[in-house]
């Protein structure tokens, strides 16, 4: 599966992993011209984005501000960054 996000503001998201976005299982995620503000991963990794299981992540011209995680990572990824 593929997900393309363009020109979005994602603010105050909360999740256990990936405060704004959680993706896995061979997903192709493309994020362009977006802003991630004050998103929180309450019990894990990826204050803004969490991607695992061979997910591909491509981030361009994107701003991250004040995103937090209990394990202090802005973007947690166990797949491939393009």
């Amino acid at each position: 599966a593929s997900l393309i996000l363009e020109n979005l503001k994602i603010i105050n998201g909360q999740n256990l992993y990936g405060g704004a976005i959680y993706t896995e299982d061979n997903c192709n995620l493309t994020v362009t011209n977006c802003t991630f503000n004050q998103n929180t991963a309450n019990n894990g990794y990826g204050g803004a984005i969490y991607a695992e299981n061979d997910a591909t992540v491509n981030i361009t011209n994107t701003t991250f501000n004040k995103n937090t995680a209990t394990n202090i990572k802005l973007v947690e990824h166990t797949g491939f960054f393009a």
Side-chain angles (χ1 to χ4, degrees):
S2 294
L3 175 63
I4 299 172
L5 302 175
E6 295 179 332
N7 304 312
L8 293 175
K9 290 183 181 179
I10 302 175
I11 302 168
N12 295 324
Q14 293 187 18
N15 198 8
L16 295 177
Y17 294 90
I21 297 172
Y22 178 97
T23 184
E24 64 179 356
D25 298 332
N26 298 310
C27 180
N28 294 311
L29 173 64
T30 301
V31 180
T32 306
N33 298 322
C34 292
T35 301
F36 292 82
N37 284 330
Q38 300 177 342
N39 299 287
T40 303
N42 294 317
N43 269 341
Y45 298 96
I49 299 171
Y50 183 87
E52 68 176 357
N53 295 340
D54 296 322
T56 299
V57 179
N58 188 350
I59 300 171
T60 307
N61 296 326
T62 295
T63 303
F64 297 90
N65 293 309
K66 299 181 182 177
N67 298 280
T68 60
T70 55
N71 291 311
I72 311 179
K73 296 207 179 172
L74 173 64
V75 176
E76 175 68 16
H77 188 259
T78 61
F80 176 74
F81 265 110

